[in-house]
Amino acid sequence: MPLCRGLRIEDAPIDELQDHLLTGRLTSVELLSCYMQRYYQTNQYINSVLEVNPDAYDIATSLDCERKAGKVRSKLHGLPFLVKDNIASADKLQTTAGSWALLGSVVPRDASVVSKLREAGAILLGKATLSEWADMRSNNYSEGYSARGGQARSPYNFTVNPGGSSTGSAIAVSNNVVPFALGTETDGSVINPSMRNAIVGIKPTVGLTSRAGVVPESEHQDTVGVFGKTVADAVHVLDAIYGIDGRDNYTAAQAGKTPNGGYAQYLSKAKVLDGARFGIPWKSFWQYADQEQLDTLLTMLDVLRTAGATIINGTELQHPEIVSPNGWNWDYGTVRGYPNESEYSYITVDFYNNIATYLSELSNTNIRSLEDLVQYNIDNFGSEGGTPGIHPAFGSGQDGFLASLATKGAQNETYYQALAFCQRTSRDEGIDYALHNRGNKLDVLLLPPDVAQAVQIAAQAGYPIITIPASVHSDSDMPYGLAVLGTAFSEASLVKYASAMEDLFVSSGSKFQRSKTPPGWSNYLDRNLPVPF
């Protein structure tokens, strides 16, 4: 990345960028120009940005005037950011979930999280590319592809799954197109691309960040998460966007469970690891990691032990049999013969109902229901892949949409049984059971997030998880991470230990840090589609 008016801002943390702005070494307009230069330098390669905000420079100018007048709104004042293209902004940008179907539609207002970031003085640079409809429309697809945005690619390896569905958000942060970004997760869509692009991702408890104005999948599992290069960066953003919102009833659950003064106060140094108790659910998750990752992650655990942490193996879910041995599968209940124990059984129902509610608030569009979306994809199968075998990025067409359509949104006995089963076995009899550890309580669980089943259980529970960079795999040239997982609204604890681990790995000079895992731009001339898993 070129210098920015003589200053190195590549991989610069938010605190350093803010210092440049506070001391006058840079203005917000100058900083925005440098990030825009990076966008133009890289986007034909990585395709992380779907659309650029034409008002970004005007916003930056206004924020510079505020700073000159002595007003600095927050740590994010004057810094540019991206949001995934399923997060609404009431400006000149589109909000389409990557589909041509919503092109030209007008949202009624900013998504709550966008409004909060504007209030914090951040500059919305644009919309990030994503997996179309956040991976809901198809079960055989190219991660990070959408009809509007094309294929996003990781700078680590252009021919390998870049992570999804918040693909562009993670890639842009990893590649210094913006210092931070927002994404959404229903099942793995924040943690997966974070880990696969060697950055920090925070997937909060469902109900900590508002989903108002976000194209939905499931009210029970959707959450807005954050991407940053460091734990501190991600936490500064989380502090700006969390809170109770009258437009999202789920956020009422956080009352009395969030800290006064936000989460940045829990950022810690390595010394807090002394006496910490971390659990390893080996049979539930770790056994499914490949040997190279296991070797690296186990060495990381040894480093944690040298800092005084106690690592306790065998802290399993009460029902490890609910975890697929063959990778991520959100219909694993049906695979086992029990659709009333399948996450997919309620996700498909939720989507049918939740998308209708979202579409009802849009203007300047005739798309009002899932039926309309399905028909649009059929009518435009060349670009939208509405039928199997037509479009390479959607090998199964729109089978996800069709599965949801078949439910007609009926919250029947199977729906409620599946919801109750997945929440009980992932919460009380899952993560909480493992954390209780037969009365010998643990601080957090440690997970290999490249084992997607681990992230899936956290998603079903609606519990928070943070991933930090670990290393790069020798076969794929792709990064992987180490994740910390806790119970509902335990973000303060996760921030404490994730930041302490990050500090330990950096201060000790270990190889387990982002600076030791630069992208290799492998196969940068190749443009295969779909990108294989």
Side-chain angles (χ1 to χ4, degrees):
M1 184 179 186
L3 296 178
C4 183
R5 297 187 66 84
L7 299 170
R8 177 183 171 86
I9 65 168
E10 183 172 356
D11 281 355
I14 284 175
D15 287 339
E16 183 177 321
L17 294 173
Q18 199 59 231
D19 185 60
H20 291 325
L21 294 170
L22 287 169
T23 57
R25 289 190 291 268
L26 288 174
T27 66
S28 294
V29 169
E30 291 168 342
L31 185 63
L32 176 63
S33 295
C34 293
Y35 280 114
M36 286 298 298
Q37 181 180 0
R38 183 63 168 173
Y39 157 72
Y40 287 116
Q41 180 189 20
T42 62
N43 210 54
Q44 288 193 39
Y45 294 94
I46 59 176
N47 198 27
S48 61
V49 181
L50 193 156
E51 186 176 6
V52 171
N53 186 357
D55 293 329
Y57 279 99
D58 288 342
I59 297 169
T61 299
S62 175
L63 291 166
D64 278 336
C65 290
E66 286 188 12
R67 188 183 296 275
K68 187 175 291 187
K71 180 180 179 180
V72 177
R73 301 188 189 191
S74 76
K75 287 268 190 183
L76 307 181
H77 188 109
L79 301 184
F81 71 100
L82 290 168
V83 298
K84 188 178 181 180
D85 184 43
N86 63 346
I87 300 176
S89 60
D91 49 19
K92 295 172 185 173
L93 293 165
Q94 305 275 345
T95 305
T96 67
S99 171
W100 292 114
L102 293 186
L103 189 69
S105 64
V106 177
V107 299
R109 65 192 72 85
D110 278 345
S112 293
V113 291
V114 170
S115 178
K116 283 177 173 287
L117 285 175
R118 292 195 204 270
E119 290 170 7
I123 304 164
L124 180 57
L125 185 148
K127 295 295 179 73
T129 50
L130 75 166
S131 304
E132 186 171 319
W133 295 105
D135 288 340
M136 186 66 212
R137 56 149 293 157
S138 178
N139 289 306
N140 178 7
Y141 54 88
S142 184
E143 199 79 87
Y145 178 88
S146 68
R148 271 198 74 213
Q151 180 66 58
R153 300 182 188 274
S154 171
Y156 286 86
N157 190 333
F158 278 52
T159 63
V160 176
N161 171 13
S165 62
S166 304
T167 316
S169 297
I171 292 172
V173 171
S174 178
N175 203 49
N176 292 285
V177 177
V178 285
F180 69 92
L182 297 187
T184 65
E185 175 164 324
T186 305
D187 194 326
S189 292
V190 166
I191 297 303
N192 178 259
S194 302
M195 172 267 304
R196 295 184 71 81
N197 288 281
I199 59 173
V200 173
I202 301 180
K203 192 274 284 190
T205 305
V206 173
L208 186 68
T209 54
S210 173
R211 292 86 52 86
V214 175
V215 179
E217 281 191 24
S218 168
E219 62 188 274
H220 293 101
Q221 291 184 197
D222 290 353
T223 188
V224 177
V226 300
F227 301 95
K229 294 188 186 69
T230 67
V231 176
D233 284 2
V235 170
H236 290 323
V237 182
L238 181 64
D239 274 347
I241 65 171
Y242 84 89
I244 296 174
D245 179 15
R247 295 189 182 277
D248 182 354
N249 291 336
Y250 279 68
T251 60
Q254 68 185 268
K257 300 176 182 176
T258 58
N260 292 329
Y263 293 99
Q265 62 187 302
Y266 295 95
L267 292 167
S268 302
K269 298 297 185 181
K271 63 182 180 180
V272 308
L273 296 170
D274 190 8
R277 292 167 53 82
F278 300 146
I280 304 294
W282 186 271
K283 290 183 179 179
S284 298
F285 305 120
W286 282 73
Q287 66 168 322
Y288 301 117
D290 71 38
Q291 193 58 53
E292 180 173 325
Q293 289 194 34
L294 282 177
D295 291 344
T296 297
L297 296 175
L298 291 175
T299 303
M300 293 177 79
L301 298 186
D302 288 339
V303 177
L304 294 177
R305 288 189 184 95
T306 66
T310 298
I311 310 295
I312 302 170
N313 198 1
T315 55
E316 312 298 338
L317 309 180
Q318 188 173 341
H319 306 285
E321 68 274 8
I322 69 172
V323 178
S324 166
N326 301 312
W328 180 86
N329 186 342
W330 65 354
D331 202 14
Y332 188 56
T334 300
V335 169
R336 294 185 290 111
Y338 303 103
N340 62 342
E341 297 181 358
S342 173
E343 171 188 355
Y344 201 53
S345 293
Y346 59 85
I347 294 286
T348 49
V349 173
D350 284 348
F351 181 71
Y352 183 92
N353 295 318
N354 297 162
I355 194 63
T357 300
Y358 175 85
L359 294 171
S360 71
E361 286 204 290
L362 302 183
S363 57
N364 199 44
T365 181
N366 294 321
I367 303 295
R368 295 297 177 194
S369 66
L370 180 55
E371 286 85 351
D372 293 339
L373 290 173
V374 167
Q375 190 60 50
Y376 182 91
N377 289 343
I378 292 171
D379 293 342
N380 298 276
F381 62 83
S383 64
E384 296 288 345
T387 55
I390 295 295
H391 195 290
F394 302 114
S396 57
Q398 54 180 333
D399 56 326
F401 276 5
L402 294 176
S404 180
L405 185 61
T407 73
K408 293 296 182 182
Q411 295 176 334
N412 55 23
E413 186 177 17
T414 299
Y415 172 89
Y416 285 110
Q417 287 180 352
L419 179 61
F421 176 87
C422 289
Q423 290 186 342
R424 184 186 76 250
T425 56
S426 64
R427 293 176 180 175
D428 296 348
E429 299 173 5
I431 296 166
D432 291 331
Y433 178 85
L435 286 167
H436 185 261
N437 190 33
R438 300 176 183 85
N440 300 306
K441 291 185 179 180
L442 306 168
D443 291 305
V444 296
L445 299 177
L446 301 183
L447 305 173
D450 200 33
V451 174
Q453 304 94 306
V455 180
Q456 182 177 3
I457 294 299
Q460 290 179 8
Y463 284 4
I465 183 170
I466 300 178
T467 183
I468 62 174
S471 189
V472 173
H473 204 287
S474 62
D475 287 341
S476 66
D477 296 324
M478 291 295 289
Y480 52 94
L482 177 66
V484 292
L485 169 66
T487 190
F489 299 107
S490 64
E491 280 81 0
S493 182
L494 298 190
V495 167
K496 173 183 176 181
Y497 291 116
S499 59
M501 286 186 237
E502 179 185 65
D503 178 62
L504 174 65
F505 296 138
V506 172
S507 63
S508 65
S510 80
K511 62 181 180 180
F512 311 122
Q513 52 179 301
R514 175 176 164 76
S515 65
K516 300 296 179 67
T517 57
W521 296 78
S522 297
N523 305 308
Y524 73 93
L525 293 179
D526 294 345
R527 293 291 187 273
N528 62 305
L529 189 70
V531 175
F533 283 83

